[in-house]
Amino acid sequence: QVQLVESGGDLVQPGGSLRLSCAASGFAFSVYTMNWYRQAPGKQRELVATITRGGSTKYADSVKGRFTISRDNAKNTVYLQMNSLKPEDTAVYYCNAELVLGSYWGRGTQVTVSS
């Protein structure tokens, strides 16, 4: 079955960095676009970054220049490198795959940016 497992969330000080990972299984990872979303308390889930099968990327305006999405098709893993973190980046971060069979989500990983 399709599984997406996020890891790498932590408590970090403002200005710090984290790298999130999402390990995928159960589908042909290399042919699908992968997404990172986040949801802060009391807010709607928002799209943070997207990477296509060909490696093209898109970012939310709020993270452009600070976050980088990448993928390793040999490891069936998508990453989100987050630099210059701000308190407003605090959220649960989710990995997402929009497959032919439907939309799949991981359980999320908590990122907290606080001094």
Side-chain angles (χ1 to χ4, degrees):
Q1 71 276 24
V2 174
Q3 282 194 316
L4 299 171
V5 180
E6 303 95 336
S7 61
D10 205 346
L11 170 64
V12 62
Q13 292 188 343
S17 297
L18 282 175
R19 188 175 84 155
L20 306 183
S21 299
C22 171
S25 61
F27 65 101
F29 175 82
S30 64
V31 305
Y32 286 98
T33 292
M34 297 297 297
N35 306 300
W36 281 100
Y37 283 77
R38 68 184 180 186
Q39 188 166 19
K43 294 189 176 181
Q44 289 190 333
R45 193 170 294 189
E46 65 170 340
L47 179 61
V48 175
T50 295
I51 186 165
T52 68
R53 58 185 291 179
S56 297
T57 58
K58 289 184 180 180
Y59 298 93
D61 287 343
S62 58
V63 307
K64 278 181 183 176
R66 300 188 298 121
F67 289 13
T68 303
I69 188 171
S70 61
R71 66 192 299 160
D72 185 338
N73 290 336
K75 295 183 178 180
N76 285 1
T77 301
V78 60
Y79 303 98
L80 187 67
Q81 177 67 44
M82 305 186 295
N83 299 329
S84 302
L85 282 161
K86 305 175 181 179
E88 51 264 43
D89 294 318
T90 295
V92 179
Y93 284 71
Y94 297 92
C95 182
N96 165 260
E98 297 291 337
L99 309 183
V100 173
L101 293 177
S103 181
Y104 291 86
W105 298 86
R107 292 188 174 185
T109 186
Q110 176 70 49
V111 172
T112 302
V113 185
S114 175
S115 55

Coordinates of all heavy atoms in Angstrom, one line a residue, residues 32-114:
Y32 N 6.0 10.6 -10.3 CA 5.0 11.5 -9.7 C 5.6 12.8 -9.2 O 6.7 12.8 -8.6 CB 4.2 10.8 -8.6 CG 3.2 9.8 -9.2 CD1 3.5 8.4 -9.2 CD2 2.0 10.2 -9.6 CE1 2.6 7.5 -9.7 CE2 1.1 9.3 -10.2 CZ 1.4 8.0 -10.2 OH 0.5 7.1 -10.7
T33 N 4.8 13.8 -9.3 CA 5.1 15.1 -8.6 C 4.9 14.9 -7.1 O 3.9 14.2 -6.7 CB 4.1 16.2 -9.1 OG1 4.5 16.5 -10.5 CG2 4.2 17.5 -8.3
M34 N 5.7 15.5 -6.3 CA 5.6 15.4 -4.9 C 5.5 16.8 -4.3 O 6.1 17.7 -4.8 CB 6.9 14.7 -4.3 CG 7.0 13.2 -4.7 SD 5.7 12.2 -4.2 CE 5.9 12.3 -2.4
N35 N 4.8 16.8 -3.2 CA 4.5 18.1 -2.6 C 4.8 18.1 -1.1 O 4.7 17.1 -0.4 CB 3.0 18.5 -2.7 CG 2.6 18.5 -4.1 OD1 3.1 19.2 -5.0 ND2 1.6 17.6 -4.4
W36 N 5.2 19.3 -0.5 CA 5.3 19.5 0.9 C 4.2 20.6 1.2 O 4.1 21.6 0.6 CB 6.6 20.0 1.4 CG 7.7 19.0 1.5 CD1 8.7 18.7 0.6 CD2 7.9 18.1 2.6 NE1 9.5 17.6 1.0 CE2 9.0 17.3 2.3 CE3 7.2 17.9 3.8 CZ2 9.5 16.3 3.1 CZ3 7.7 16.9 4.6 CH2 8.8 16.1 4.3
Y37 N 3.4 20.2 2.2 CA 2.4 21.2 2.8 C 2.7 21.4 4.2 O 3.5 20.7 4.9 CB 1.0 20.6 2.7 CG 0.3 20.6 1.4 CD1 0.7 19.7 0.4 CD2 -0.7 21.5 1.1 CE1 0.0 19.7 -0.8 CE2 -1.3 21.5 -0.1 CZ -1.0 20.6 -1.1 OH -1.6 20.6 -2.3
R38 N 2.1 22.4 4.8 CA 2.2 22.7 6.2 C 0.9 23.2 6.8 O 0.1 23.8 6.0 CB 3.4 23.6 6.6 CG 3.2 25.1 6.1 CD 4.4 25.9 6.4 NE 4.3 27.3 6.0 CZ 5.3 28.2 6.0 NH1 6.5 27.8 6.5 NH2 5.0 29.4 5.6
Q39 N 0.7 23.0 8.1 CA -0.5 23.5 8.7 C -0.1 24.0 10.1 O 0.4 23.2 10.9 CB -1.6 22.4 8.8 CG -2.9 22.9 9.3 CD -4.0 22.0 9.1 OE1 -3.8 20.8 8.9 NE2 -5.2 22.5 9.1
A40 N -0.3 25.3 10.3 CA -0.1 25.9 11.6 C -1.3 25.8 12.4 O -2.4 25.7 11.9 CB 0.4 27.3 11.4
P41 N -1.2 25.9 13.7 CA -2.4 25.9 14.6 C -3.4 27.0 14.2 O -3.1 28.1 14.1 CB -1.8 26.1 16.0 CG -0.4 25.7 15.9 CD 0.0 26.0 14.5
G42 N -4.7 26.5 14.0 CA -5.7 27.5 13.7 C -5.7 28.0 12.3 O -6.5 28.9 11.9
K43 N -4.9 27.4 11.4 CA -4.8 27.9 10.0 C -5.1 26.7 9.1 O -4.9 25.5 9.5 CB -3.4 28.5 9.7 CG -3.2 29.8 10.5 CD -1.9 30.4 10.0 CE -1.7 31.8 10.7 NZ -0.4 32.4 10.2
Q44 N -5.4 27.0 7.8 CA -5.6 26.0 6.8 C -4.2 25.5 6.3 O -3.2 26.1 6.4 CB -6.3 26.6 5.6 CG -7.8 26.9 5.9 CD -8.6 27.3 4.6 OE1 -8.0 27.8 3.7 NE2 -9.8 27.1 4.6
R45 N -4.3 24.2 5.9 CA -3.1 23.6 5.3 C -2.7 24.4 4.0 O -3.6 24.7 3.2 CB -3.4 22.2 5.0 CG -2.2 21.3 4.7 CD -2.5 19.8 4.6 NE -2.9 19.3 5.9 CZ -3.1 18.0 6.2 NH1 -2.9 17.1 5.2 NH2 -3.5 17.6 7.3
E46 N -1.4 24.7 3.9 CA -1.0 25.4 2.7 C 0.1 24.7 2.0 O 1.0 24.0 2.6 CB -0.5 26.8 3.1 CG 0.7 26.8 4.0 CD 1.3 28.2 4.2 OE1 1.0 29.1 3.3 OE2 2.1 28.4 5.1
L47 N 0.2 24.8 0.7 CA 1.2 24.2 -0.1 C 2.5 25.0 0.0 O 2.5 26.2 -0.2 CB 0.8 24.2 -1.6 CG 1.8 23.6 -2.6 CD1 2.1 22.2 -2.3 CD2 1.2 23.8 -4.0
V48 N 3.6 24.3 0.4 CA 4.9 25.0 0.6 C 5.8 24.8 -0.6 O 6.4 25.8 -1.1 CB 5.6 24.4 1.8 CG1 7.0 24.9 2.0 CG2 4.7 24.6 3.1
A49 N 5.9 23.6 -1.1 CA 6.8 23.4 -2.2 C 6.4 22.2 -3.0 O 5.8 21.2 -2.5 CB 8.2 23.2 -1.7
T50 N 6.7 22.2 -4.3 CA 6.4 21.1 -5.3 C 7.6 20.8 -6.1 O 8.4 21.7 -6.5 CB 5.3 21.6 -6.2 OG1 4.1 21.8 -5.4 CG2 5.0 20.5 -7.3
I51 N 7.8 19.5 -6.4 CA 8.8 19.1 -7.3 C 8.2 18.0 -8.3 O 7.6 17.1 -7.9 CB 10.1 18.5 -6.6 CG1 11.2 18.2 -7.6 CG2 9.7 17.3 -5.7 CD1 12.5 18.0 -6.9
T52 N 8.4 18.3 -9.6 CA 7.9 17.4 -10.6 C 8.8 16.2 -10.8 O 9.9 16.1 -10.3 CB 7.7 18.1 -11.9 OG1 9.0 18.5 -12.4 CG2 6.9 19.4 -11.7
R53 N 8.4 15.3 -11.6 CA 9.2 14.1 -12.0 C 10.5 14.5 -12.6 O 11.5 13.8 -12.5 CB 8.4 13.1 -12.9 CG 7.9 13.7 -14.1 CD 7.0 12.8 -15.0 NE 7.8 11.7 -15.5 CZ 7.3 10.7 -16.2 NH1 6.0 10.7 -16.5 NH2 8.0 9.7 -16.7
G54 N 10.4 15.6 -13.4 CA 11.6 16.1 -14.0 C 12.5 17.0 -13.2 O 13.6 17.5 -13.7
G55 N 12.1 17.3 -12.0 CA 12.9 18.1 -11.1 C 12.6 19.6 -11.1 O 13.2 20.4 -10.4
S56 N 11.5 20.0 -11.8 CA 11.1 21.4 -11.7 C 10.5 21.6 -10.4 O 9.8 20.8 -9.8 CB 10.1 21.7 -12.8 OG 10.7 21.5 -14.1
T57 N 10.7 22.8 -9.8 CA 10.2 23.2 -8.5 C 9.4 24.4 -8.5 O 9.6 25.3 -9.3 CB 11.4 23.3 -7.5 OG1 12.3 24.4 -8.0 CG2 12.2 22.0 -7.4
K58 N 8.5 24.5 -7.5 CA 7.7 25.7 -7.2 C 7.6 25.9 -5.7 O 7.6 24.9 -5.0 CB 6.3 25.6 -7.8 CG 6.2 25.7 -9.3 CD 4.8 25.7 -9.8 CE 4.7 25.7 -11.3 NZ 3.3 25.7 -11.8
Y59 N 7.6 27.2 -5.3 CA 7.5 27.5 -3.9 C 6.5 28.5 -3.6 O 6.1 29.4 -4.4 CB 8.9 28.0 -3.4 CG 10.0 27.0 -3.6 CD1 10.8 27.1 -4.8 CD2 10.3 26.1 -2.6 CE1 11.8 26.2 -5.0 CE2 11.4 25.2 -2.8 CZ 12.1 25.2 -4.0 OH 13.1 24.3 -4.2
A60 N 5.9 28.4 -2.3 CA 5.1 29.5 -1.8 C 6.0 30.7 -1.7 O 7.2 30.6 -1.4 CB 4.5 29.1 -0.5
D61 N 5.3 31.9 -1.9 CA 6.1 33.1 -1.8 C 6.7 33.3 -0.4 O 7.8 33.8 -0.3 CB 5.2 34.3 -2.0 CG 4.8 34.5 -3.5 OD1 5.4 33.9 -4.4 OD2 3.8 35.2 -3.8
S62 N 6.1 32.8 0.6 CA 6.6 32.9 2.0 C 7.9 32.2 2.3 O 8.6 32.5 3.3 CB 5.5 32.5 3.0 OG 5.1 31.2 2.8
V63 N 8.2 31.2 1.4 CA 9.4 30.4 1.7 C 10.5 30.5 0.6 O 11.6 30.0 0.7 CB 9.1 28.9 1.9 CG1 8.0 28.8 3.0 CG2 8.7 28.3 0.6
K64 N 10.2 31.3 -0.5 CA 11.1 31.4 -1.6 C 12.4 32.0 -1.1 O 12.5 32.9 -0.4 CB 10.5 32.3 -2.7 CG 9.6 31.6 -3.6 CD 9.1 32.6 -4.7 CE 8.0 31.9 -5.6 NZ 7.5 32.9 -6.6
G65 N 13.5 31.4 -1.6 CA 14.8 31.8 -1.2 C 15.3 31.2 0.1 O 16.5 31.4 0.4
R66 N 14.4 30.6 0.8 CA 14.8 30.0 2.1 C 14.7 28.5 2.1 O 15.5 27.8 2.8 CB 14.0 30.6 3.3 CG 14.1 32.1 3.4 CD 13.3 32.6 4.7 NE 11.9 32.3 4.6 CZ 11.3 31.5 5.5 NH1 12.0 31.0 6.6 NH2 10.0 31.3 5.5
F67 N 13.7 27.9 1.4 CA 13.5 26.5 1.4 C 13.9 25.9 0.0 O 13.7 26.6 -1.0 CB 12.0 26.2 1.6 CG 11.5 26.5 3.0 CD1 12.2 27.2 4.0 CD2 10.2 26.0 3.4 CE1 11.8 27.4 5.3 CE2 9.7 26.2 4.7 CZ 10.5 26.9 5.6
T68 N 14.3 24.7 0.0 CA 14.6 24.0 -1.2 C 14.1 22.6 -1.1 O 14.4 21.8 -0.2 CB 16.2 23.9 -1.4 OG1 16.7 25.2 -1.4 CG2 16.5 23.2 -2.7
I69 N 13.3 22.2 -2.1 CA 12.8 20.9 -2.3 C 13.6 20.1 -3.2 O 14.1 20.6 -4.2 CB 11.3 20.9 -2.7 CG1 10.7 19.5 -2.6 CG2 11.1 21.5 -4.1 CD1 9.2 19.5 -2.9
S70 N 13.9 18.8 -2.9 CA 14.7 18.0 -3.8 C 14.2 16.6 -3.7 O 13.4 16.2 -2.8 CB 16.1 18.1 -3.5 OG 16.4 17.6 -2.1
R71 N 14.6 15.7 -4.6 CA 14.2 14.3 -4.5 C 15.3 13.4 -4.9 O 16.2 13.8 -5.7 CB 13.0 14.1 -5.5 CG 13.2 14.3 -6.9 CD 11.9 14.3 -7.7 NE 11.2 13.0 -7.6 CZ 9.9 12.9 -7.8 NH1 9.2 14.0 -8.2 NH2 9.2 11.8 -7.7
D72 N 15.3 12.2 -4.4 CA 16.3 11.2 -4.7 C 15.5 10.0 -5.1 O 14.9 9.2 -4.3 CB 17.2 10.8 -3.5 CG 18.3 9.8 -3.8 OD1 18.1 9.1 -4.8 OD2 19.2 9.8 -3.1
N73 N 15.3 9.8 -6.4 CA 14.5 8.7 -6.9 C 15.0 7.3 -6.6 O 14.3 6.3 -6.5 CB 14.3 8.8 -8.4 CG 13.4 10.0 -8.8 OD1 12.6 10.5 -8.0 ND2 13.5 10.6 -10.0
A74 N 16.3 7.2 -6.4 CA 16.9 5.9 -6.1 C 16.6 5.5 -4.7 O 16.5 4.3 -4.4 CB 18.5 6.0 -6.2
K75 N 16.3 6.5 -3.8 CA 15.9 6.2 -2.4 C 14.4 6.4 -2.2 O 13.9 6.3 -1.0 CB 16.7 7.1 -1.5 CG 18.2 6.9 -1.5 CD 18.9 7.8 -0.5 CE 20.4 7.5 -0.5 NZ 21.1 8.3 0.5
N76 N 13.7 6.8 -3.2 CA 12.2 7.0 -3.1 C 12.0 8.0 -2.0 O 11.1 7.8 -1.1 CB 11.4 5.7 -2.8 CG 11.3 4.9 -4.0 OD1 11.8 5.2 -5.1 ND2 10.6 3.8 -3.9
T77 N 12.7 9.1 -2.0 CA 12.7 10.1 -0.9 C 12.6 11.5 -1.4 O 13.3 11.8 -2.4 CB 13.9 9.9 0.1 OG1 13.8 8.6 0.6 CG2 13.8 10.9 1.2
V78 N 11.8 12.3 -0.8 CA 11.8 13.7 -1.1 C 12.2 14.5 0.1 O 11.8 14.1 1.2 CB 10.4 14.2 -1.6 CG1 9.3 13.9 -0.6 CG2 10.4 15.6 -2.1
Y79 N 12.9 15.6 -0.1 CA 13.5 16.4 1.0 C 13.0 17.8 1.0 O 12.6 18.3 -0.1 CB 15.0 16.4 0.9 CG 15.6 15.0 0.9 CD1 16.0 14.4 -0.3 CD2 15.9 14.3 2.1 CE1 16.6 13.2 -0.4 CE2 16.5 13.1 2.0 CZ 16.8 12.5 0.8 OH 17.4 11.3 0.8
L80 N 13.0 18.4 2.1 CA 12.7 19.9 2.2 C 13.8 20.5 3.1 O 13.8 20.3 4.3 CB 11.3 20.2 2.8 CG 10.9 21.6 2.7 CD1 10.8 22.1 1.3 CD2 9.6 21.9 3.5
Q81 N 14.8 21.2 2.5 CA 15.8 21.9 3.2 C 15.2 23.3 3.6 O 14.8 24.0 2.7 CB 17.1 22.0 2.4 CG 18.2 22.8 3.0 CD 18.7 22.1 4.3 OE1 19.0 20.9 4.2 NE2 19.0 22.9 5.3
M82 N 15.2 23.6 4.9 CA 14.7 24.8 5.4 C 15.8 25.6 6.1 O 16.3 25.2 7.1 CB 13.5 24.5 6.3 CG 12.4 23.6 5.7 SD 11.0 23.4 6.8 CE 11.7 22.6 8.2
N83 N 16.1 26.8 5.5 CA 17.1 27.7 6.1 C 16.4 29.0 6.6 O 15.3 29.3 6.2 CB 18.2 28.0 5.1 CG 18.9 26.7 4.6 OD1 19.1 25.8 5.4 ND2 19.3 26.7 3.4
S84 N 17.2 29.7 7.4 CA 16.7 31.0 7.9 C 15.3 30.9 8.4 O 14.4 31.7 8.1 CB 16.8 32.0 6.7 OG 18.1 32.2 6.2
L85 N 15.1 29.9 9.2 CA 13.7 29.6 9.8 C 13.2 30.8 10.6 O 14.0 31.4 11.4 CB 13.7 28.3 10.5 CG 13.7 27.1 9.6 CD1 14.1 25.8 10.4 CD2 12.3 26.9 9.0
K86 N 11.9 31.0 10.5 CA 11.2 32.1 11.3 C 10.2 31.5 12.2 O 9.7 30.4 11.9 CB 10.6 33.0 10.3 CG 11.5 33.6 9.2 CD 10.7 34.5 8.2 CE 11.6 35.1 7.2 NZ 10.9 35.9 6.2
P87 N 9.8 32.2 13.2 CA 8.7 31.6 14.1 C 7.4 31.3 13.3 O 6.7 30.3 13.6 CB 8.5 32.8 15.1 CG 9.8 33.4 15.2 CD 10.4 33.4 13.8
E88 N 7.2 32.1 12.2 CA 5.9 31.8 11.4 C 6.0 30.6 10.6 O 5.1 30.2 9.9 CB 5.6 33.0 10.6 CG 6.8 33.6 9.7 CD 7.5 34.7 10.4 OE1 7.7 34.7 11.6 OE2 7.8 35.7 9.7
D89 N 7.2 29.9 10.6 CA 7.3 28.6 9.9 C 6.9 27.5 10.8 O 6.8 26.3 10.3 CB 8.8 28.4 9.5 CG 9.3 29.4 8.4 OD1 8.5 29.7 7.5 OD2 10.4 29.9 8.5
T90 N 6.6 27.8 12.0 CA 6.1 26.7 12.9 C 4.8 26.1 12.4 O 3.9 26.8 12.1 CB 5.9 27.3 14.3 OG1 7.2 27.8 14.9 CG2 5.3 26.3 15.3
A91 N 4.9 24.8 12.3 CA 3.7 24.1 11.7 C 4.0 22.6 11.7 O 5.2 22.2 11.9 CB 3.4 24.5 10.3
V92 N 3.0 21.8 11.4 CA 3.2 20.4 11.1 C 3.4 20.3 9.6 O 2.6 20.9 8.8 CB 2.0 19.5 11.5 CG1 2.2 18.1 11.1 CG2 1.8 19.6 13.0
Y93 N 4.4 19.7 9.2 CA 4.8 19.6 7.7 C 4.4 18.2 7.2 O 4.7 17.2 7.8 CB 6.2 19.9 7.5 CG 6.6 21.3 7.6 CD1 6.5 22.0 8.8 CD2 6.9 22.1 6.5 CE1 6.8 23.4 9.0 CE2 7.2 23.4 6.6 CZ 7.1 24.1 7.8 OH 7.4 25.4 7.9
Y94 N 3.7 18.2 6.1 CA 3.1 17.0 5.5 C 3.7 16.7 4.1 O 3.8 17.7 3.3 CB 1.6 17.0 5.4 CG 0.9 17.1 6.7 CD1 0.6 18.4 7.2 CD2 0.5 16.0 7.4 CE1 -0.1 18.5 8.4 CE2 -0.2 16.1 8.6 CZ -0.5 17.4 9.1 OH -1.1 17.5 10.3
C95 N 4.0 15.5 3.8 CA 4.4 15.1 2.5 C 3.1 14.6 1.8 O 2.2 14.0 2.4 CB 5.3 13.9 2.6 SG 6.0 13.3 1.1
N96 N 3.0 14.9 0.5 CA 1.8 14.6 -0.3 C 2.1 14.1 -1.7 O 3.1 14.6 -2.3 CB 0.9 15.8 -0.4 CG -0.2 15.7 -1.5 OD1 0.0 16.2 -2.6 ND2 -1.2 15.0 -1.2
A97 N 1.4 13.1 -2.1 CA 1.5 12.6 -3.5 C 0.1 12.5 -4.1 O -0.8 11.9 -3.5 CB 2.2 11.2 -3.5
E98 N 0.0 13.1 -5.3 CA -1.3 13.1 -6.0 C -1.2 12.0 -7.0 O -0.6 12.2 -8.1 CB -1.6 14.4 -6.6 CG -1.8 15.6 -5.6 CD -3.1 15.4 -4.8 OE1 -4.0 14.7 -5.2 OE2 -3.1 16.0 -3.7
L99 N -1.7 10.8 -6.7 CA -1.6 9.6 -7.6 C -2.9 9.4 -8.4 O -3.9 10.1 -8.1 CB -1.3 8.4 -6.7 CG -0.1 8.5 -5.8 CD1 0.1 7.2 -5.1 CD2 1.1 9.0 -6.5
V100 N -2.8 8.6 -9.3 CA -4.0 8.2 -10.1 C -5.1 7.7 -9.2 O -6.3 8.0 -9.4 CB -3.7 7.2 -11.2 CG1 -4.9 6.7 -11.9 CG2 -2.7 7.8 -12.2
L101 N -4.7 6.9 -8.2 CA -5.7 6.3 -7.3 C -6.2 7.3 -6.2 O -7.2 7.0 -5.6 CB -5.0 5.1 -6.6 CG -4.7 3.9 -7.4 CD1 -4.0 2.9 -6.6 CD2 -5.9 3.4 -8.1
G102 N -5.6 8.4 -6.1 CA -6.1 9.4 -5.1 C -5.0 10.2 -4.5 O -3.8 10.1 -5.0
S103 N -5.3 11.0 -3.5 CA -4.4 11.9 -2.8 C -3.9 11.2 -1.6 O -4.7 10.7 -0.8 CB -5.0 13.2 -2.5 OG -4.1 14.1 -1.9
Y104 N -2.6 11.1 -1.4 CA -2.0 10.4 -0.2 C -1.2 11.4 0.6 O -0.5 12.2 0.1 CB -1.2 9.2 -0.7 CG -2.0 8.1 -1.3 CD1 -2.4 8.1 -2.6 CD2 -2.5 7.1 -0.5 CE1 -3.2 7.1 -3.1 CE2 -3.3 6.1 -1.0 CZ -3.6 6.1 -2.3 OH -4.4 5.1 -2.9
W105 N -1.3 11.2 1.9 CA -0.6 12.0 2.9 C 0.2 11.2 3.9 O -0.3 10.1 4.3 CB -1.6 12.9 3.6 CG -2.4 13.8 2.7 CD1 -3.5 13.5 2.0 CD2 -2.1 15.2 2.4 NE1 -4.0 14.6 1.3 CE2 -3.1 15.6 1.6 CE3 -1.1 16.1 2.8 CZ2 -3.1 17.0 1.1 CZ3 -1.1 17.4 2.3 CH2 -2.1 17.8 1.5
G106 N 1.3 11.8 4.4 CA 1.9 11.2 5.5 C 1.2 11.8 6.8 O 0.3 12.5 6.8
R107 N 1.8 11.3 8.0 CA 1.2 11.8 9.2 C 1.7 13.1 9.7 O 1.2 13.7 10.6 CB 1.5 10.7 10.3 CG 0.7 9.4 10.0 CD 0.8 8.5 11.2 NE 0.0 7.3 11.1 CZ -0.2 6.4 12.0 NH1 0.5 6.5 13.1 NH2 -0.9 5.3 11.7
G108 N 2.8 13.6 9.1 CA 3.3 14.9 9.4 C 4.5 14.8 10.4 O 4.7 13.8 11.1
T109 N 5.3 15.9 10.4 CA 6.4 16.0 11.3 C 6.3 17.5 11.8 O 6.2 18.4 11.0 CB 7.7 15.7 10.7 OG1 8.7 15.7 11.7 CG2 8.1 16.6 9.5
Q110 N 6.5 17.7 13.1 CA 6.3 19.0 13.8 C 7.6 19.8 13.7 O 8.7 19.3 14.0 CB 6.0 18.8 15.2 CG 5.9 20.1 16.0 CD 4.7 21.0 15.6 OE1 3.6 20.5 15.5 NE2 4.9 22.3 15.4
V111 N 7.5 21.0 13.2 CA 8.6 21.9 13.2 C 8.2 23.1 14.0 O 7.2 23.7 13.8 CB 8.9 22.4 11.7 CG1 9.9 23.6 11.8 CG2 9.4 21.3 10.9
T112 N 9.0 23.4 15.0 CA 8.8 24.5 15.9 C 10.0 25.4 15.9 O 11.1 25.0 16.2 CB 8.5 24.0 17.4 OG1 7.4 23.1 17.4 CG2 8.2 25.2 18.3
V113 N 9.7 26.7 15.6 CA 10.8 27.7 15.5 C 10.6 28.7 16.7 O 9.6 29.5 16.6 CB 10.8 28.4 14.2 CG1 12.0 29.4 14.1 CG2 10.9 27.4 13.0
S114 N 11.4 28.6 17.6 CA 11.3 29.4 18.8 C 12.6 29.6 19.6 O 13.4 28.7 19.6 CB 10.2 28.8 19.8 OG 10.1 29.5 21.0

